[in-house]
Amino acid sequence: MPHKIFIAEDDPGIRRELTALLERYGYLCEAPQEFSRTAEQALASGAHLVLLDLNLPRQDGLQICRELRRQSDLPIIVVTSRDTELDELMSIDLGADDFLAKPYSAQILLARVARLLQRTYPSGPAPALTCGALSLDLGRGTAALNGQEVQLTRNEARILQRLMAEPGRIVSRAALMDALWQTEAFVDDNTLTVNVARLRRRLEELGLTGALATRRGQGYQLCL
């Protein structure tokens, strides 16, 4: 079973964006629209992790964080526009596992979520991503199509993960470089070119010839 994320966010637009982003990466989501019993809802949801805004109606996010930690060890990432050092310190003191100020990079949020889930549930399922018939197993580092499977390097998997998050859209080289930087290894422009070429060959092994297109001066596009 995939991991489930409970999203405590009162802004409808941000709530929809977070839900869509996380679901594209294989997570299940529950995102309430009413916040009088947020801690109780989160605990009853069966979620594996909570994304918690501090500026919620009816009840302050810090109070919710305190209630959650008093009753459980459920992982909590505070995601908020309240970005002072005091807000971060109070969140951590009250039991939050991580703190991320808005605006934030979607890829950084995903990395934080994946890292905390892996740390908390080491034997649990790794996030998986699908795009049409193509699937990417992030835990095993493999891509599969119609029963065929190829092994990917960490960099190849990072690039494919980023492209699959926006199928059919052109993803800039800068965005892919940012995804590769999360490996904590130095990445230069030539490294990206080499890894994209290798990933293209891996996809061709699955029968996806022409699926990874180069758009000169713009970036790369996954065409499935």
Side-chain angles (χ1 to χ4, degrees), residues 6-49:
F6 185 91
I7 303 170
E9 168 60 65
D10 66 315
D11 184 294
I14 296 176
R15 190 165 60 235
R16 286 193 297 269
E17 289 175 4
L18 278 173
T19 299
L21 174 70
L22 291 164
E23 287 181 346
R24 282 204 305 270
Y25 279 81
Y27 297 106
L28 299 176
C29 294
E30 182 169 329
Q33 302 179 40
E34 197 278 329
F35 302 94
S36 61
R37 301 180 298 107
T38 304
E40 181 180 337
Q41 288 175 291
L43 293 171
S45 70
H48 299 92
L49 181 146

Side-chain angles (χ1 to χ4, degrees), residues 1-6 22-30 45-49 113-114 117-118 121 123-130 136-138:
M1 290 292 292
H3 287 119
K4 184 175 184 179
I5 312 296
F6 185 91
L22 291 164
E23 287 181 346
R24 282 204 305 270
Y25 279 81
Y27 297 106
L28 299 176
C29 294
E30 182 169 329
S45 70
H48 299 92
L49 181 146
V113 167
L117 286 171
Q118 185 177 33
Y121 312 101
S123 60
L129 187 62
T130 60
L136 172 64
D137 187 323
L138 296 171

Side-chain angles (χ1 to χ4, degrees), residues 44-188:
S45 70
H48 299 92
L49 181 146
V50 174
L51 293 181
L52 176 63
D53 186 15
L54 295 184
N55 295 321
L56 295 174
R58 297 179 179 269
Q59 193 176 21
D60 185 77
L62 291 174
Q63 183 180 353
I64 295 168
C65 184
R66 183 190 295 112
E67 290 182 13
L68 286 170
R69 189 53 69 237
R70 183 185 301 134
Q71 300 180 59
S72 77
D73 293 322
L74 189 63
I76 303 167
I77 299 179
V78 169
V79 183
T80 181
S81 58
R82 286 163 50 177
D83 59 354
T84 69
E85 186 176 315
L86 179 60
D87 288 316
E88 182 172 2
L89 179 61
M90 291 183 66
S91 297
I92 300 302
D93 282 348
L94 290 173
D97 298 277
D98 205 346
F99 184 97
L100 193 58
K102 301 175 184 175
Y104 51 81
S105 159
Q107 294 301 310
I108 293 298
L109 173 65
L110 289 166
R112 300 275 188 95
V113 167
R115 182 180 64 183
L116 184 52
L117 286 171
Q118 185 177 33
R119 189 174 72 205
T120 308
Y121 312 101
S123 60
L129 187 62
T130 60
C131 182
L134 178 66
S135 64
L136 172 64
D137 187 323
L138 296 171
R140 297 173 55 232
T142 58
L145 178 73
N146 299 328
Q148 290 184 279
E149 184 177 276
V150 293
Q151 189 73 42
L152 304 177
T153 66
R154 184 170 58 177
N155 281 350
E156 292 164 3
R158 288 281 189 181
I159 294 170
L160 183 57
Q161 178 185 19
R162 184 67 179 84
L163 291 167
M164 290 178 72
E166 299 185 75
R169 298 186 62 181
I170 297 173
V171 179
S172 69
R173 290 180 65 88
L176 292 177
M177 292 278 283
D178 182 65
L180 290 184
W181 269 110
Q182 295 178 37
T183 65
E184 299 182 354
F186 176 75
V187 179
D188 60 21

Side-chain angles (χ1 to χ4, degrees), residues 159 173 176-177 180 187-196:
I159 294 170
R173 290 180 65 88
L176 292 177
M177 292 278 283
L180 290 184
V187 179
D188 60 21
D189 195 66
N190 184 61
T191 299
L192 176 61
T193 301
V194 170
N195 278 277
V196 168

